[in-house]
């Protein structure tokens, strides 16, 4: 990296740290974090990111790529406040202090009381600490993880693909494919950004889904946990049994109980794919944080609607949403929306 002034150099490093952070797994118990180590004259010494629970944190990953003593006097640019607790790994704040880092610039505070306090520990050791650089981008990267901490449950994204008249299948139950390849590729990309893919037993038995996240070259590196909700057994030869991760079957129907089971597995975000009964139960319970609807330019008619009873008896009870994104994907249209805040017009 060439130096074009201290502020510019550090901001470039933070943008790179955010890119690195996005390479780590999403939807698990840990946030996505990236780190870039800069020399006193602004050259990149090393980079690192967190690769998942039990692996070195981003700061330690970056430090491990340098010979002993090479980080003395360096600036650590990190997307999240260095942690201050010992879990599966030691405190990153201590690792930076012991490495002789002179300055730490981080984007946003750690919201976990157990892990926070790294900034104070660094300052107490004489390390210069600055915070807030590209904080909005860092918060957006870990939005679902932060929401799970705030809500005390996994973030839930409900997704379905339908015709323009809201049907997810023809009268005989066939549904492959309503949407086109571009829409399906987008679904797989978004699956990989969540900690679990959740379907009901009806969908699991009727469609035999693999519940994997796939790209043009096969399975994506990040694979969410496959989850089937319901009391009926999933056959031993079902496609989901060949998933890279073991199937979690939650033999409960209550949305809150399902989310509690996911939280026990360290899941902080869930991609809810169906069927209509399961999706509608979560919507009616107010436990959906985001809705993704892939609309195909076709009409099917019939009774196979994307949702069932949502508890809306009168128009005043409608579940209002705020549209956050509208995107064309091939011949289809994605509408991304979130529940309208209660109490606002």
């Amino acid at each position: 990296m060439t130096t074009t002034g201290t502020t510019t150099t550090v901001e470039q490093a933070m943008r790179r740290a955010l890119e690195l952070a996005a390479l780590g797994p999403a939807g698990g118990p840990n946030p996505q974090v990236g780190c870039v180590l800069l020399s006193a004259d602004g050259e990149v010494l090393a980079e690192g990111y967190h690769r998942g629970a039990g692996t070195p944190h981003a700061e330690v990953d970056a430090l491990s790529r340098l010979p002993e003593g090479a980080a003395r006097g360096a600036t650590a640019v990190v997307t999240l406040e260095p942690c201050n607790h010992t879990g599966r790994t030691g405190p990153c704040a201590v690792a930076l202090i012991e490495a002789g880092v002179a300055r730490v610039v981080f984007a946003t505070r750690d919201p976990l009381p157990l892990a926070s306090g790294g900034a104070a520990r660094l300052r107490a050791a004489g390390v210069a600490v600055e915070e807030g650089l590209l904080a909005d981008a860092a918060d957006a990267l870990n939005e679902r993880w932060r929401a799970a901490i705030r809500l005390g449950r996994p973030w839930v994204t409900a997704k379905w693909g339908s015709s323009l008249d809201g049907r997810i299948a023809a009268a005989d139950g066939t549904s492959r494919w309503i949407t086109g390849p571009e829409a399906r590729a987008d679904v797989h990309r978004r699956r990989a950004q969540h900690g679990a893919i959740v379907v009901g037993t009806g969908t699991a038995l009727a469609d035999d889904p693999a519940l994997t996240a796939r790209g043009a070259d096969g399975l994506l590196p990040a694979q969410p946990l496959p989850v089937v909700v319901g009391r009926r057994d999933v056959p031993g030869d079902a496609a989901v049994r060949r998933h890279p991760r073991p199937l979690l079957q939650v033999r409960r129907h209550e949305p809150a109980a399902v989310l509690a089971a996911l939280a026990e597995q360290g899941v902080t975000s869930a991609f809810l794919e169906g069927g209509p009964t399961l999706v509608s139960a979560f919507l009616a319970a107010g436990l959906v944080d985001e809705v993704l609807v892939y609309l195909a330019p076709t009409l099917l008619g019939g009774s196979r609607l994307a949702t069932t009873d949502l508890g809306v008896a009168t128009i005043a009870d409608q579940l209002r949403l705020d549209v956050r994104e509208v995107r064309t994907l091939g011949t289809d249209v994605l509408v991304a929306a979130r529940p309208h805040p209660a109490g606002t017009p």
Side-chain angles (χ1 to χ4, degrees):
M1 179 184 294
T2 57
T3 305
T4 58
T6 303
T7 301
T8 302
T9 300
V10 172
E11 183 172 325
Q12 290 173 340
M14 184 64 81
R15 294 190 187 281
R16 174 57 180 162
L18 288 166
E19 293 176 352
L20 292 166
L23 298 175
N30 300 106
Q32 294 174 288
V33 184
C35 174
V36 174
L37 297 175
L38 299 176
S39 67
D41 60 1
E43 295 297 319
V44 174
L45 296 173
E47 300 178 338
Y49 67 95
H50 185 48
R51 289 168 169 78
T55 66
H57 288 187
E59 301 93 321
V60 175
D61 184 41
L63 290 170
S64 70
R65 302 176 189 282
L66 294 175
E68 186 174 352
R72 190 161 299 281
T75 294
V77 182
V78 195
T79 58
L80 185 69
E81 177 186 14
C83 69
N84 190 39
H85 81 295
T86 300
R88 296 184 184 181
T89 58
C92 292
V94 172
L96 293 169
I97 293 167
E98 292 179 345
V101 168
R103 179 186 178 205
V104 173
V105 180
F106 68 88
T108 187
R109 290 265 179 176
D110 194 320
L112 281 172
L114 179 65
S116 63
R121 190 165 190 169
L122 288 162
R123 289 190 177 104
V127 178
V129 178
E130 301 168 30
E131 63 180 280
L133 181 62
L134 301 184
D136 289 346
D139 284 343
L141 178 67
N142 284 303
E143 179 187 21
R144 299 185 187 104
W145 176 77
R146 288 179 172 274
I149 293 171
R150 184 180 70 253
L151 298 169
R153 60 161 177 82
W155 169 285
V156 176
T157 298
K159 164 264 170 185
W160 62 82
S162 74
S163 60
L164 288 181
D165 55 348
R167 270 61 181 183
I168 60 170
D172 64 353
T174 55
S175 61
R176 295 185 179 181
W177 296 100
I178 292 177
T179 56
E182 294 88 350
R184 297 197 295 273
D186 190 71
V187 169
H188 283 284
R189 180 181 66 83
R190 292 175 187 264
R191 281 180 174 183
Q193 296 171 351
H194 290 73
I197 303 178
V198 185
V199 298
T201 50
T203 296
L205 296 174
D207 296 344
D208 193 26
L211 300 188
T212 51
R214 301 182 297 278
D217 299 324
L219 294 180
L220 296 175
Q223 286 298 317
L225 180 72
V227 181
V228 175
V229 175
R231 295 186 175 87
R232 287 180 288 175
D233 291 329
V234 176
D237 61 351
V240 71
R241 298 286 189 185
R242 299 187 291 276
H243 195 285
R245 299 181 65 182
L247 169 67
L248 173 65
Q249 185 156 12
V250 182
R251 297 182 186 274
R252 301 280 298 275
H253 290 115
E254 304 86 352
V258 174
L259 294 181
L262 295 182
E264 289 178 1
Q265 300 295 317
V267 171
T268 53
S269 66
F271 200 69
L272 189 64
E273 291 221 23
T277 301
L278 185 68
V279 169
S280 299
F282 273 79
L283 285 167
L287 292 175
V288 170
D289 304 290
E290 182 177 34
V291 175
L292 302 177
V293 182
Y294 295 83
L295 291 169
T298 188
L299 301 172
L300 294 176
S303 61
R304 296 182 180 271
L305 293 167
T307 60
T308 59
D309 182 18
L310 299 179
V312 178
T314 179
I315 197 66
D317 298 334
Q318 62 188 295
L319 303 182
R320 300 198 64 88
L321 304 174
D322 292 331
V323 175
R324 302 289 292 268
E325 178 185 3
V326 178
R327 181 190 302 182
T328 300
L329 297 166
T331 59
D332 304 316
V333 175
L334 165 65
V335 179
R338 297 189 180 180
H340 191 72
T344 60

